[in-house]
Every structure is written in structure tokens, then in C-alpha cells.
């Protein structure tokens, strides 16, 4: 397996499995960042404090719809690449995590219902539905990612032991809390950069609270790693890059706190995104080459090389075709609008 990451055709090129896994990883990170700020709104809504908290809550629910549905395209892309390139991993993940996946999908629908219904009739029941659905999504997303690192190990006999307890084990549960904390931080910073005075001062305190929760959950993850997933911990502790990344992340955490304390909202958002990217990168490097620890790597789960080449060509040509079609549609609409104008 030492040369597994090198292509058979060209020793200097990464393998198709590696490239497709990298595309999968980037798309997942893109989904977490784009939709994550929306998922974190639920916890922000519940924990925001200060004299302007009611105004902030109205702002959260008013902007709750936005491009929420469009952002789910990234999740569909992740599922499509996983199915087409790594079907064994797709089947294993779907079989072992079908309960949290189903609840996650239900929470996506409930979130949409809560935001739309609140806009029509602002009642407590719709705001509670908004909080619960967002919190469920954030927690379940982190728990599912944590389960792929901890492994799908049955925690007893029967349905509950096989399909529910594994993703509620200490490491996946801590990963769920970590994701919830980080997405709250991301959403609070996003609101902070968009808000106007005097609401900004209230949001600054919420950002500091969210940072405290996110960093506490990060510390809990580090404490659990050696015992809950030894293989991932061995990769981290035995690598040259982990001390570098760890120092960078500690430095970014301190910078985020200082920037938030000083009221520098734009810089805070930049460093929060940078810290999140470093943390996500560390997780990807630590789990590589496993899609499911400890038995299913990207090379074991991949389809034959011919199918991988077709999929890679589709990924490269797809955006070109999409932008070309989009441009033609834009030209058609623009021409139609110009011709319909009275002269």
C-alpha cells in the first residue's frame, strides 16, 4: 500500500482514487461552510444574549430561508461522487448510518417549514422548530463524520446496538457537539459582519461565547482521540505536519478571541474560516486513506480504473458545460428582455 497514492500510468501523478477523494473532501468542506452558517443559526438564536437579542432573533428568522435549498446541492454532489466512485463505502455508510441520515433529512424539511411558517405567523412553536431542526442537523452532521473516524463497531445486540449506539458513542457525540459549536461560531460571526450598530455589540458577546464552546469541544475531541480511534491518533502523533498544524490552530484560536474582543468583525470572520479550514484539513489528513476506519480505504472501495476515468472526465467537463448553458440562458433572457422593451 506504500505506493497506493501514486497513479499506475504516471508515477509523478496522484491516483484517480486520490483525486476523486480530494474532490469529495473539498465538496464536503464547501457544504459545511456554506450551509453550516445557516445550521448554526439555531444555536445562535437560542443562546444570543443582551439588550438587542429580540432584534437579532427576528433577523435570524427573516434571513433563515435565503439560498438554503441551493446549498444542499453540495450535499447531493458528495453523495453522487461517493456512490459512483466508492460504492462500497456508500453502501457501508448508508447501511450503518441510515438512522441519523433519515433524521438529518427530516430536520432539513422541518427547518424550511419553521422559517416559512414563522414568516407567515410569528409564533413560539415555529421558532422552537427552527432551533431544534438546526441543532439536530449540526449535531448529526458532526456525529456522522465522527463515526467514520471511530468505526462502525456494534455496541451491543439488536437494532439499537448496531445502528444507534455507534453514532452516539463518546467520540461521535463529541464530534457532534464540536460541529454544533463551530457552526454557531460561524453563524454568529456572519451575523456580526452583516449587522449594524447597536446590534453589533450584542453579537460580539455571542461570538465570544460561541468561540468558547467551539474550543472546549475541540479540546474534548483531542482528549478522546487516543482511546476512541487509535489508528487516527497514531497517524496524527506520528506525522511531521501535526505539530505544525496544531501550533497554527492554537495561534488562530488566540487571534480569533483577540479580534472578537477588539471588535474587528471582518478579521474575526477571516480567521474563523481559516481555523475551521485547518481543523478540517487535519481531520482529512489523519483519516487518509480511510473512508471508514479501520477497514475501508479509498482504494478498497473504488470502482475499476475505467469507471474512475469516466467519472473524472465528467467532473472536469461538467462545470464547463454548466457555465456554457448558463451563459446561453442568460443571453436568451437578456435578449428577450431587450426586445420586449418599448422603443
Amino acid at each position: 500500500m506504500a505506493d497506493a497514492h501514486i497513479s499506475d500510468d504516471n508515477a509523478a501523478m496522484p491516483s484517480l482514487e486520490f483525486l476523486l477523494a480530494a474532490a469529495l473532501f473539498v465538496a464536503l468542506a464547501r457544504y459545511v461552510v456554506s450551509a453550516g452558517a445557516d445550521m448554526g443559526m439555531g444555536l445562535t438564536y437560542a443562546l444570543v444574549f443582551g439588550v438587542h437579542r429580540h432584534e437579532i432573533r427576528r433577523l435570524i428568522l427573516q434571513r433563515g430561508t435565503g439560498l438554503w435549498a441551493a446549498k444542499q446541492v453540495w450535499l447531493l454532489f458528495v453523495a453522487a461522487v461517493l456512490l459512483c466512485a466508492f460504492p462500497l463505502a456508500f453502501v457501508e455508510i448508508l447501511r450503518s448510518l441510515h438512522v441519523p441520515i433519515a433524521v438529518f433529512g427530516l430536520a432539513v424539511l422541518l427547518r424550511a417549514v419553521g422559517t416559512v411558517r414563522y414568516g407567515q405567523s410569528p409564533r413560539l412553536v415555529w421558532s422552537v422548530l427552527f432551533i431544534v431542526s438546526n441543532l439536530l442537523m449540526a449535531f448529526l452532521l458532526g456525529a456522522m463524520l465522527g463515526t467514520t473516524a471511530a468505526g462502525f463497531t456494534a455496541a451491543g445486540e439488536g437494532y439499537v446496538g448496531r445502528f444507534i449506539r455507534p453514532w452516539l458513542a463518546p467520540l461521535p457525540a463529541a464530534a457532534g457537539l464540536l460541529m454544533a459549536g463551530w457552526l454557531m461560531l460561524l453563524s454568529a460571526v456572519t451575523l456580526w459582519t452583516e449587522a449594524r450598530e447597536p446590534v453589533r455589540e450584542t453579537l460580539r458577546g455571542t461570538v465570544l461565547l460561541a468561540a468558547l464552546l467551539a474550543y472546549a469541544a475541540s479540546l474534548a475531541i483531542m482528549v478522546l482521540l487516543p482511546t476512541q480511534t487509535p489508528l487516527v491518533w497514531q497517524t496524527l502523533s506520528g506525522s511531521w505536519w501535526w505539530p505544525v498544524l496544531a501550533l497554527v490552530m492554537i495561534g488562530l484560536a488566540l487571534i480569533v478571541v483577540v479580534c472578537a474582543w477588539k471588535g474587528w468583525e471582518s478579521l474575526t470572520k477571516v480567521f474563523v474560516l481559516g481555523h475551521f479550514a485547518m481543523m478540517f484539513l487535519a481531520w482529512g489528513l489523519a483519516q487518509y486513506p480511510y473512508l471508514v476506519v479501520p477497514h475501508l480505504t479509498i482504494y478498497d472501495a473504488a470502482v475499476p480504473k475505467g469507471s474512475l476515468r469516466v467519472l473524472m472526465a465528467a467532473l472536469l467537463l461538467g462545470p464547463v458545460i454548466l457555465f456554457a448553458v448558463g451563459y446561453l440562458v442568460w443571453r436568451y433572457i437578456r435578449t428577450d428582455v431587450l426586445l420586449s422593451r418599448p422603443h
Side-chain angles (χ1 to χ4, degrees):
M1 189 69 70
D3 299 327
H5 65 287
I6 301 298
S7 172
D8 296 333
D9 302 325
N10 190 338
M13 293 293 292
S15 67
L16 289 170
E17 294 90 344
F18 176 83
L19 292 175
L20 287 167
L24 187 70
F25 179 79
V26 171
L28 181 60
R30 183 68 179 83
Y31 172 73
V32 172
V33 170
S34 61
D38 295 326
M39 292 184 208
M41 293 293 177
L43 199 54
T44 304
Y45 183 98
L47 297 182
V48 67
F49 59 92
V51 293
H52 300 287
R53 61 185 181 277
H54 298 298
E55 185 178 347
I56 294 170
R57 286 170 178 168
R58 283 195 298 271
L59 175 65
I60 290 172
L61 286 167
Q62 287 169 2
R63 72 184 301 280
T65 51
L67 297 175
W68 171 249
K71 294 172 183 177
Q72 306 310 306
V73 171
W74 288 104
L75 193 58
L76 296 177
F77 177 84
V78 169
V81 173
L82 189 62
L83 173 62
C84 296
F86 310 105
L88 291 179
F90 180 87
V91 171
E92 179 70 9
I93 291 171
L94 190 61
R95 181 188 67 84
S96 300
L97 296 177
H98 65 274
V99 174
I101 290 173
V103 177
F104 184 91
L106 178 62
V108 170
L109 296 176
L110 291 178
R111 182 192 188 277
V113 171
T115 51
V116 171
R117 291 292 292 167
Y118 184 87
Q120 298 171 349
S121 175
R123 296 180 180 176
L124 178 62
V125 62
W126 306 126
S127 59
V128 171
L129 185 62
F130 178 81
I131 294 171
V132 172
S133 58
N134 278 285
L135 186 56
L136 267 178
M137 284 188 293
F139 175 81
L140 290 173
L141 182 61
M144 287 188 284
L145 294 178
T147 307
T148 64
F152 299 144
T153 304
E157 297 294 332
Y159 186 86
V160 173
R162 294 173 59 196
F163 299 117
I164 295 180
R165 287 180 183 171
W167 54 273
L168 291 176
L171 182 64
L177 295 176
L178 173 67
M179 185 65 74
W182 270 99
L183 296 187
M184 178 191 173
L185 176 58
L186 184 58
S187 69
V189 169
T190 301
L191 286 171
W192 192 26
T193 56
E194 296 175 357
R196 298 178 180 179
E197 295 291 352
V199 176
R200 281 187 176 181
E201 185 60 28
T202 299
L203 282 168
R204 185 169 70 94
T206 307
V207 168
L208 289 169
L209 173 62
L212 178 63
L213 294 176
Y215 298 152
S218 301
L219 182 60
I221 287 286
M222 296 309 302
V223 171
L224 289 170
L225 275 180
T227 57
Q228 297 295 313
T229 176
L231 185 59
V232 172
W233 176 249
Q234 288 172 10
T235 303
L236 280 176
S237 59
S239 64
W240 62 268
W241 47 263
W242 169 240
V244 177
L245 270 181
L247 288 175
V248 169
M249 287 190 287
I250 292 172
L252 286 172
L254 294 174
I255 293 172
V256 165
V257 173
V258 171
C259 289
W261 187 266
K262 292 289 187 180
W264 302 332
E265 60 272 7
S266 297
L267 280 177
T268 304
K269 185 174 183 179
V270 169
F271 287 114
V272 165
L273 289 172
H275 193 174
F276 191 83
M278 291 296 101
M279 186 178 65
F280 218 76
L281 178 63
W283 166 65
L285 290 174
Q287 191 162 324
Y288 175 80
Y290 294 96
L291 285 169
V292 178
V293 176
H295 63 280
L296 202 56
T297 69
I298 58 176
Y299 307 104
D300 299 328
V303 294
K305 292 285 186 183
S307 300
L308 292 177
R309 292 189 183 97
V310 172
L311 182 58
M312 180 59 70
L315 290 180
L316 294 175
L317 292 176
V320 177
I321 297 172
L322 180 64
F323 284 120
V325 171
Y327 175 74
L328 291 175
V329 170
W330 175 79
R331 286 289 303 272
Y332 173 79
I333 294 174
R334 182 172 178 270
T335 303
D336 187 59
V337 169
L338 290 174
L339 291 176
S340 64
R341 287 179 178 177
H343 297 284

